[in-house]
Amino acid sequence: MRMKLLSPVLKIYALAAMLPCLSVKSAETIQPGALWPDNRGQHIQAHGGGILKVDGTFYWFGEDRSRENSFQRRYVSCYASTNLAQWTFRNQVVKLADPEQLGRGWILERPKVFYNAPTKKFVMYAHLDNGRYQFARVAVLTCDTVDGDYQYLKSFRPLGHESRDIGQFVDDDGAAYLIFEDRPNGFHIAKLSADYLNVEKEMCLIPKHMEGGAVVHYDGLYYVIGSELTGWNPNPNRYATAASLAGPWSEFKNLAPVEKNTYGAQSTMLLKVVGSKTTSVIFMGDIWEPQTQWDSRYLWMPVEIGGGKLALPEPHEWTLDIRTGAAQIGK
Ligand code: GAL
C-alpha cells in the first residue's frame, strides 16, 4: 500500500490497522491474572501476601518464590506503591534458614506485617511448618524499619491451637487481629497483645474449615472471607457477615458463581481503600502455579459490597483513583 495516495483520515486508519497491538492501557491499570512487573521489570514475588500502609505508602509483603532462591532458605519480599498498581521492589526482607530444625521441605507461608506504634516495631507473622504440615505454628519476626531485614524471634501455636493459613486484620480503631486456621476446630479471629508479639484474646471461633481467611470492616458490618481446603487448587471462596467480630456470623455464601471457582484464585486479604469520595474494598487473591510457583499470579478486583452482601465481579482490567477511592472496571 502506498500511503501517499491516501487521504489524511485514511492514513490514520491504515496506520492503526498496521499496529494491532497498540494498547491504550495506562501504567496504573491493574490486570488480574497477568504477569505483574515491578519497577525492575520482574514479576512481583509477594504470594499469599498482605498489605501494610505507612504514611501514605502501601507496602506489599508476600512469599518470594523466585526460581533462583536457595532451596534451603525461605524468602519474603517487600514492595512499595502509592497507587496499588505500580510497585517498587524494596528488599527481600526475609531470607531465613530453617529456624526450628524442621528439615527438608520446611515452609514459611502467608507473611503478614503489622506496625506496633508503642514499640515502633514492625511485626511479621507467618505460617511456619515442616514439609508435612504437622508443626502448625506461627513464626514471629520483627524489624525496626518497614523494609529492613526482619529478625526471627520465635514460633508458637496461637492460644495453644494448630495454626496453618493466617490472615491479618486491623480494625478502624487500630486494633490488630490474626486470623488462623485450626484444623480440628475451625478458624479463629484473635486479638494480638499490646506489643503484637503474642496472640492474646480469642474474638471468635468460626466452626468451619476455611483457609486464606480475611476480614474487612465496612459500613458497620464485618465481612469475613475464606476458601475451602483444596491445597493449591481453586475452589468457591465464601463470605459471612456479623455486626461484631465476636459474631454471631451469618451463613456463608459464595463470593462468585460456584462454577467459576473464584476465577481460579484463593483469598489472601481484603484491602479497604478510603478516599475523599468513596471507599473501595479490594479482594486480593492468589492464582497458584504449584509446579512453577514463581509464576503464580494475582487476582485483585474491587468487590461489590454493602448491606450484608459481597460479590467478586468477573475479572477485567481496572483502575483505582487512590485520591477519591473510586475504582473503575474496564470492559
Ligand atoms: C493452601 C494454602 C497455601 C498452601 C497450600 C499448600 O490451601 O492456602 O498457603 O499452604 O495449601 O498445599
Side-chain angles (χ1 to χ4, degrees):
M1 187 191 312
R2 293 189 52 208
M3 288 276 234
K4 62 182 170 192
L5 298 179
L6 298 176
S7 75
V9 173
L10 280 177
K11 263 187 207 169
I12 290 170
Y13 280 121
L15 269 174
M18 285 154 63
L19 296 170
C21 302
L22 202 67
S23 165
V24 290
K25 267 177 231 123
S26 91
E28 297 184 13
T29 305
I30 293 177
Q31 292 179 264
L35 282 172
W36 198 338
D38 65 8
N39 61 309
R40 305 166 302 176
Q42 297 177 18
H43 182 47
I44 292 172
Q45 293 296 321
H47 312 286
I51 300 250
L52 175 70
K53 192 176 176 194
V54 184
D55 299 332
T57 298
F58 297 94
Y59 294 89
W60 181 4
F61 296 86
E63 299 159 26
D64 180 331
R65 305 264 192 172
S66 299
R67 210 171 178 173
E68 56 277 14
N69 285 346
S70 155
F71 74 95
Q72 282 159 333
R73 291 176 183 264
R74 299 296 174 264
Y75 301 80
V76 175
S77 274
C78 171
Y79 299 80
S81 174
T82 50
N83 62 11
L84 293 175
Q86 293 158 295
W87 292 91
T88 301
F89 172 76
R90 296 295 280 261
N91 187 19
Q92 232 171 15
V93 294
V94 174
K95 308 175 197 60
L96 191 64
D98 187 354
E100 305 275 2
Q101 286 74 55
L102 295 166
R104 211 182 146 77
W106 70 281
I107 69 127
L108 185 89
E109 291 180 338
R110 297 190 174 270
K112 304 284 179 287
V113 175
F114 299 86
Y115 175 62
N116 186 261
T119 61
K120 297 193 169 62
K121 292 264 185 209
F122 293 87
V123 180
M124 180 187 293
Y125 277 76
H127 171 200
L128 182 69
D129 226 317
N130 62 22
R132 297 170 68 195
Y133 287 86
Q134 289 166 334
F135 195 60
R137 289 190 184 204
V138 291
V140 180
L141 300 91
T142 62
C143 193
D144 292 333
T145 56
V146 64
D147 57 359
D149 297 330
Y150 282 67
Q151 301 302 313
Y152 183 79
L153 187 64
K154 61 179 174 180
S155 76
F156 62 92
R157 284 191 167 178
L159 305 167
H161 295 293
E162 290 185 17
S163 174
R164 292 186 177 84
D165 274 14
I166 59 162
Q168 89 187 106
F169 171 59
V170 179
D171 208 341
D172 299 334
D173 63 2
Y177 301 90
L178 188 78
I179 303 153
F180 63 97
E181 192 261 325
D182 162 16
R183 201 58 52 92
N185 299 305
F187 71 98
H188 304 257
I189 302 174
K191 193 169 184 186
L192 301 184
S193 60
D195 59 8
Y196 292 0
L197 300 180
N198 281 297
V199 174
E200 198 170 76
K201 182 181 171 213
E202 173 142 293
M203 306 307 293
C204 67
L205 164 67
I206 302 182
K208 291 257 178 223
H209 295 288
M210 295 182 89
E211 295 186 321
V215 173
V216 71
H217 191 182
Y218 180 86
D219 202 15
L221 268 187
Y222 292 92
Y223 293 74
V224 64
I225 63 168
S227 79
E228 303 288 321
L229 277 60
T230 56
W232 302 118
N233 297 322
N235 57 59
N237 292 190
R238 298 192 293 152
Y239 75 96
T241 59
S244 122
L245 279 182
W249 290 89
S250 70
E251 282 301 301
F252 276 82
K253 296 188 188 127
N254 294 312
L255 267 188
V258 189
E259 66 279 8
K260 301 287 184 190
N261 262 342
T262 323
Y263 305 104
Q266 182 187 23
S267 52
T268 187
M269 193 172 192
L270 288 169
L271 180 64
K272 185 160 85 166
V273 178
V274 182
S276 57
K277 294 214 175 96
T278 189
T279 296
S280 286
V281 173
I282 301 166
F283 169 91
M284 292 169 51
D286 295 283
I287 301 176
W288 299 108
E289 290 293 341
Q291 304 308 321
T292 49
Q293 280 285 10
W294 54 89
D295 192 34
S296 294
R297 306 293 171 91
Y298 310 99
L299 191 157
W300 288 18
M301 277 301 287
V303 295
E304 291 155 19
I305 187 169
K309 293 207 159 56
L310 183 58
L312 176 64
E314 196 174 85
H316 284 288
E317 296 177 353
W318 59 284
T319 54
L320 178 71
D321 183 333
I322 205 77
R323 211 173 36 82
T324 65
Q328 203 185 345
I329 302 179
K331 295 263 178 286

